[in-house]
Amino acid sequence: MKLSVLGVLLALSLTTRLTEAATSNLVCYYDSASFLRTGLAKLRTEDLELALRFCTHLVYGYAGLKASTMEVFSLNVDLDMFHYNNITMLRTKYPHLKILLSVGGDRDVDEAHPLKYLELLEANTTIQQNFIDSSMVLLRRNGFDGLDLAFQLPRNKPRKVHGTIGSYWKKFKKLFTGDFIVDPQAEQHKEQYASLVQNIKRAYWSANLIMTMTVLPNVNSTWYFDVPKLHQHFEFINVAAFDFLTPIRNPEEADFTAPIFFLDEQNRLPHYNVEFQLNYWLQNQCPPHKLYLGIASYGRSWMLTSNSGLSGLPVVPATYGPGEPGLQTRTDGLLSWPEICSKLTRNATAVYRGPNAPLRKVTDLTQKYGNYALRPADEVGQHGLWVSFDDPDFAGIKAAYAKSKGLGGVALFDLGYDDFRGLCTGQKFPIVRSIKYFLA
Ligand SMILES: *[C@@H]1O[C@H](CO)[C@@H](O)[C@H](O)[C@H]1NC(C)=O
Ligand SMILES: *[C@@H]1O[C@H](CO)[C@@H](O)[C@H](O)[C@H]1NC(C)=O
Ligand SMILES: *[C@@H]1O[C@H](CO)[C@@H](O)[C@H](O)[C@H]1NC(C)=O
Ligand SMILES: *[C@@H]1O[C@H](CO)[C@@H](O)[C@H](O)[C@H]1NC(C)=O
């Protein structure tokens, strides 16, 4: 009698401990390109180490897919030949850490073969074996625990706006998301993905390698992912639920790039929010503990015109494509959190005009949609800027939301865009810390 009570108690404490463990994972993406930047933008390995106390998984980005042979390969051999090992060796100092290699992401840019990930799905099993074998060699030789499939599958088309300006960006839009990219064979590709995943899993299982996957922004899960068949094969699934709108995809209007909830106004699309994306997986039998919410540590910036108004209230009309690249990101319309922070001001009487004037931050008091900051265009229509972003506070709100839904954790994209030098408030990795605090 006593023994059985003890047994029940033990079982209870074990399950609570298991569920506690299941809610606390923090997957940290590490784009090795941040190691190659110079000056203050460079994320050195000693900086990276500060974050590893907080991360349960480190995902090294990014390996590529060789279109000719369907092999996984290093996109930068000069760096990776040493850096792979330098990173996986960190495990000796941080034994709790699992270290994965991610294939795809948005780094595997291959203009000659924009659809190579579909070609991989369509290939026969002999060819697909090249993918499996090459990945296993790469992982084992370099000491990785497993592979993250972040396949670049065709993206949703951005919603149309009928502006009068921005014809240049319209052309741009066509280039990236024109009709050729709509996938008439999505149903078939969905089946092929599930069977490839099953085959990879079978090979990895016996080699003791783990496999995860990442749903990249705007890759439509309804088209490509047969959730009931997939979830069992993955250690976890990261849903990169951000970049629903970007200044490249949506040059003529700006909106919250990663709202938690649907704001049913102004013809917003119902699936462009965190909740919809997560619910799609959950409603299709993905166990919540296998699902991780992806959060971005960068923001997206649009140029404002005189017709964009002064309030900044999204949806912001008549924008003119991406804002200038940050010194660190060097990418149009993309700013890291420390870059955004440096543009904000707490000075209520500051003058918000001109190229170097600060941005006024607007905090979302509902905690549902996200924060933004702006500088309206000046008298001649110049220097207007609007930025949507998740700061440490909002990233924490999202982590708490993920926890409240019983998810397995959060995936942060990317350590290199968090404030790893503490330039903003003196605290290093404030986004990582905030997420960890709310996951605990
Ligand atoms: C690898 O680590 C060694 C020893 O710490 C260091 O000298 C070297 O610069 C590192 N190389 C890379 C590419 O990370
Ligand atoms: C698989 O595809 C390759 C390339 O398309 C072809 O050369 C090979 O014969 C095919 N193998 C089988 C077993 O169908
Ligand atoms: C995929 O796209 C369709 C059509 O635009 C949309 O109805 C659906 O909700 C999308 N699915 C997800 C998971 O976003
Ligand atoms: C705030 O901005 C005003 C106008 O630009 C400036 O005169 C003032 O010195 C600033 N105050 C602080 C504390 O920076």
Side-chain angles (χ1 to χ4, degrees):
M1 179 64 191
K2 260 190 184 148
L3 265 180
S4 73
V5 169
L6 193 65
V8 169
L9 283 178
L10 265 178
L12 276 176
S13 71
L14 204 64
T15 35
T16 38
R17 216 174 318 138
L18 281 177
T19 42
E20 269 169 22
T23 54
S24 61
N25 283 344
L26 172 51
V27 178
C28 297
Y29 273 74
Y30 166 61
D31 184 347
S32 59
S34 56
F35 181 80
L36 296 174
R37 290 195 276 259
T38 54
L40 288 179
K42 183 185 175 82
L43 175 57
R44 300 161 305 180
T45 309
E46 57 263 42
D47 303 320
L48 178 68
E49 282 195 44
L50 280 176
L52 299 184
R53 280 197 286 145
F54 305 105
C55 308
T56 54
H57 298 74
L58 185 69
V59 186
Y60 188 115
Y62 286 90
L65 175 66
K66 201 178 280 173
S68 53
T69 59
M70 295 296 161
E71 289 171 307
V72 181
F73 75 117
S74 159
L75 290 167
N76 185 348
V77 175
D78 286 344
L79 170 67
D80 294 337
M81 63 193 289
F82 298 113
H83 205 54
Y84 276 164
N85 272 298
N86 279 8
I87 295 301
T88 57
M89 264 164 23
L90 290 169
R91 204 190 291 98
T92 55
K93 269 190 176 167
Y94 305 89
H96 70 280
L97 194 67
K98 291 261 183 294
I99 307 178
L100 301 153
L101 179 66
S102 185
V103 57
D106 283 322
R107 289 288 177 201
D108 186 15
V109 180
D110 186 346
E111 269 152 29
H113 302 278
L115 299 177
K116 63 185 178 182
Y117 285 89
L118 288 184
E119 288 161 22
L120 170 65
L121 301 185
E122 290 165 359
N124 63 35
T125 50
T126 315
I127 301 289
Q128 288 182 347
Q129 198 61 39
N130 291 344
F131 179 91
I132 299 173
D133 293 342
S134 58
S135 68
M136 289 173 74
V137 169
L138 201 59
L139 296 175
R140 283 161 140 178
R141 185 174 291 161
N142 296 291
F144 288 103
D145 292 301
L147 191 70
D148 174 55
L149 309 181
F151 284 9
Q152 297 170 10
L153 299 170
R155 313 294 170 118
N156 272 336
K157 276 174 101 172
R159 99 174 184 164
K160 287 195 175 62
V161 288
H162 304 288
T164 48
I165 53 162
S167 58
Y168 167 73
W169 290 107
K170 266 193 198 120
K171 248 193 287 170
F172 223 88
K173 187 155 73 179
K174 195 138 198 92
L175 197 68
F176 283 111
T177 59
D179 292 340
F180 72 92
I181 221 160
V182 174
D183 186 355
Q185 275 147 349
E187 202 51 43
Q188 191 184 323
H189 292 138
K190 190 180 194 173
E191 280 173 33
Q192 290 164 338
Y193 183 79
S195 91
L196 173 62
V197 161
Q198 195 178 346
N199 290 336
I200 302 173
K201 180 58 192 278
R202 194 172 298 139
Y204 278 27
W205 172 257
S206 42
N208 203 18
L209 292 168
I210 60 177
M211 181 169 67
T212 65
M213 70 169 273
T214 294
V215 182
L216 293 185
N218 298 305
V219 168
N220 190 315
S221 295
T222 314
W223 297 349
Y224 291 111
F225 304 128
D226 189 344
V227 177
K229 282 196 194 145
L230 289 179
H231 64 77
Q232 56 191 310
H233 298 304
F234 291 105
E235 184 94 349
F236 51 79
I237 294 131
N238 303 313
V239 180
F242 46 82
D243 283 349
F244 292 110
L245 274 81
T246 72
I248 304 281
R249 286 169 54 86
N250 314 79
E252 296 170 57
E253 60 174 354
D255 199 0
F256 299 111
T257 53
I260 302 177
F261 298 102
F262 179 39
L263 184 53
D264 189 6
E265 287 171 1
Q266 307 181 68
N267 297 319
R268 282 192 177 87
L269 294 173
H271 51 294
Y272 282 7
N273 56 81
V274 167
E275 183 172 67
F276 187 98
Q277 294 302 316
L278 296 176
N279 284 350
Y280 180 77
W281 283 79
L282 296 173
Q283 284 159 6
N284 284 281
Q285 301 157 38
C286 180
H289 72 268
K290 284 238 171 154
L291 203 61
Y292 289 33
L293 169 59
I295 299 176
S297 53
Y298 59 82
R300 295 288 186 177
S301 71
W302 280 258
M303 286 196 280
L304 298 177
T305 66
S306 337
N307 296 325
S308 304
L310 299 174
S311 77
L313 191 70
V315 178
V316 185
T319 54
Y320 193 70
E324 281 183 12
L327 287 173
Q328 177 190 9
T329 62
R330 294 176 191 260
T331 306
D332 286 338
L334 196 149
L335 298 170
S336 67
W337 164 241
E339 285 174 336
I340 294 166
C341 179
S342 75
K343 290 182 189 293
L344 304 177
T345 180
R346 287 175 198 86
N347 183 350
T349 55
V351 179
Y352 297 98
R353 289 291 191 275
N356 299 312
L359 306 187
R360 179 167 59 86
K361 179 177 167 184
V362 180
T363 301
D364 174 12
L365 297 174
T366 70
Q367 306 196 338
K368 286 181 171 173
Y369 310 111
N371 299 327
Y372 57 90
L374 79 149
R375 177 173 67 218
D378 59 21
E379 295 74 13
V380 289
Q382 297 291 303
H383 307 305
L385 192 66
W386 192 91
V387 189
S388 170
F389 56 94
D390 288 349
D391 56 10
D393 289 344
F394 208 78
I397 289 166
K398 283 189 168 175
Y401 168 81
K403 205 180 162 181
S404 75
K405 279 185 96 77
L407 304 191
V410 160
L412 180 69
F413 298 77
D414 181 288
L415 288 177
Y417 292 141
D418 195 355
D419 187 8
F420 53 85
R421 290 189 189 259
L423 298 174
C424 183
T425 63
Q427 189 183 53
K428 296 180 178 179
F429 287 110
I431 296 181
V432 169
R433 284 171 201 266
S434 176
I435 290 172
K436 190 71 184 179
Y437 180 81
F438 284 97
L439 278 183

